Amino acid sequence: MEDEKKASAVSDMGAWAMNVISSVGIIMANKQLMSPSGYAFSFATTLTGFHFAVTALVGFVSNVSGYSASKHVPLWELLWFSVVANMSITGMNLSLMLNSVGFYQISKLSMIPVVCVMEWILHSKHYSREVKMAVVVVVVGVGVCTVTDVKVNAKGFLCACIAVLSTSLQQITIGSLQKKYSIGSFELLSKTAPIQALSLLLLGPFIDYYLNGQFIANYKVSSGAIFFILLSCSLAVFCNVSQYLCIGRFSAVSFQVLGHMKTVCVLTLGWLLFDSELTLKNILGMALAVLGMVVYSWAVEVEKQANPNVIPHLKAKESLTEEDIRLLKDGVENIRLKDVELGESKN
């Protein structure tokens, strides 16, 4: 039993580490690719289409070679998820273009409470006082170190609302689909990536033209730009897989807290690699955010100890087998699995 717990803990840490490293890496690569001082590839939506195209290709090769199994998920659910996910990507890009950086950061910070409310509405989840306290500390800390000027307009506010709601719903849906169809994270990603890639590659160039007034066909390609596009796409595979893996193992709220850890890493690496300014305010905010993440980890442990007999949601990697289903149907209800969820459903 102890060996299983240790193996599970190592696997969990691996999922967290893969997401943080790949996400921070892709941000650094994209900064070099998209900045005017780099290769000025200012086509973010189309680049995301490239990301999902490479991810879809990796999923296809994995399925054909037998490394992953394909399970049935209704097409309408895959289409619905892809629409929500693409709205999230487009909404974020539009929000960044129309709003000040400060308001954009505030909209990102609002995702944690929005996810909490949506999970309460959709899945009747409730959160302990410790978890709520930790979330507040993380949000305040990241807000202190990232929010500067705050300017808002009606069109930008609408785009920010759409971005926050669609992103929150997308992350909740990832976990819901994995549990509903007992499908692993990579298998689900293999099914959704082709739909997202096709739609983003078709619509992305026009969205990017609206955002920056430039058409991708007029971009002068260089060997350096191609290298960073391929690097970005390669990192995106790990980023996408780890996102599905983390949400399947933990929850959408946990993934948002992890996202703020990435913000701290990006600020630190920006200071180390790109000579970005790091003020005392930034340092204090990052310290407060890290403190909040420590409190958050403690809060999850407290909740696990307070509810030791509650059967948690199954991890994505541990999908139900036919034997599991038969045992559950026979009324076996005392199976204990590791509880890593922030709040439990009342259903």
Side-chain angles (χ1 to χ4, degrees), residues 236-308:
V237 174
F238 292 98
C239 186
N240 288 330
V241 171
S242 60
Q243 177 187 5
Y244 280 56
L245 189 61
C246 285
I247 294 176
R249 285 176 171 270
F250 306 104
S251 70
V253 177
S254 295
F255 186 75
Q256 283 295 327
V257 173
L258 175 67
H260 293 313
M261 183 68 225
K262 290 180 284 189
T263 301
V264 173
C265 292
V266 168
L267 287 172
T268 305
L269 286 175
W271 173 63
L272 292 173
L273 301 177
F274 298 101
D275 295 325
S276 299
E277 184 182 4
L278 196 63
T279 64
L280 178 62
K281 177 172 168 285
N282 296 139
I283 296 172
L284 291 175
M286 288 190 290
L288 186 59
V290 171
L291 174 63
M293 292 167 202
V294 173
V295 175
Y296 179 85
S297 300
W298 165 77
V300 172
E301 288 299 317
V302 169
E303 201 158 68
K304 284 165 57 179
Q305 294 171 10
N307 301 282

Side-chain angles (χ1 to χ4, degrees), residues 162-180:
I162 293 173
V164 169
L165 291 173
S166 57
T167 302
S168 302
L169 183 58
Q170 177 220 5
Q171 293 177 0
I172 292 171
T173 305
I174 290 174
S176 298
L177 288 176
Q178 290 184 46
K179 296 174 181 72
K180 183 177 180 180

Side-chain angles (χ1 to χ4, degrees), residues 109-123:
L109 291 173
S110 70
M111 284 183 195
I112 291 184
V114 170
V115 167
C116 291
V117 171
M118 291 183 74
E119 287 198 319
W120 172 64
I121 294 172
L122 297 174
H123 303 300

Side-chain angles (χ1 to χ4, degrees), residues 33 39 41 43 50 216-227 229:
L33 176 65
Y39 294 97
F41 186 86
F43 310 100
F50 293 157
I216 190 170
N218 298 326
Y219 179 74
K220 293 182 180 179
V221 181
S222 65
S223 57
I226 292 175
F227 170 78
I229 288 173

Side-chain angles (χ1 to χ4, degrees), residues 165-203:
L165 291 173
S166 57
T167 302
S168 302
L169 183 58
Q170 177 220 5
Q171 293 177 0
I172 292 171
T173 305
I174 290 174
S176 298
L177 288 176
Q178 290 184 46
K179 296 174 181 72
K180 183 177 180 180
Y181 296 104
S182 301
I183 186 171
S185 54
F186 186 71
E187 288 77 17
L188 178 60
L189 180 59
S190 299
K191 290 182 176 295
T192 58
I195 302 173
Q196 286 188 256
L198 181 62
S199 55
L200 287 172
L201 289 176
L202 288 175
L203 300 176

Side-chain angles (χ1 to χ4, degrees), residues 3 5 7-8 16 58 63 77 82 120 159 178 198 203 240 301 309:
D3 290 339
K5 286 184 177 180
S8 180
W16 285 107
V58 172
N63 286 331
E77 293 224 49
S82 298
W120 172 64
C159 289
Q178 290 184 46
L198 181 62
L203 300 176
N240 288 330
E301 288 299 317
N309 296 319

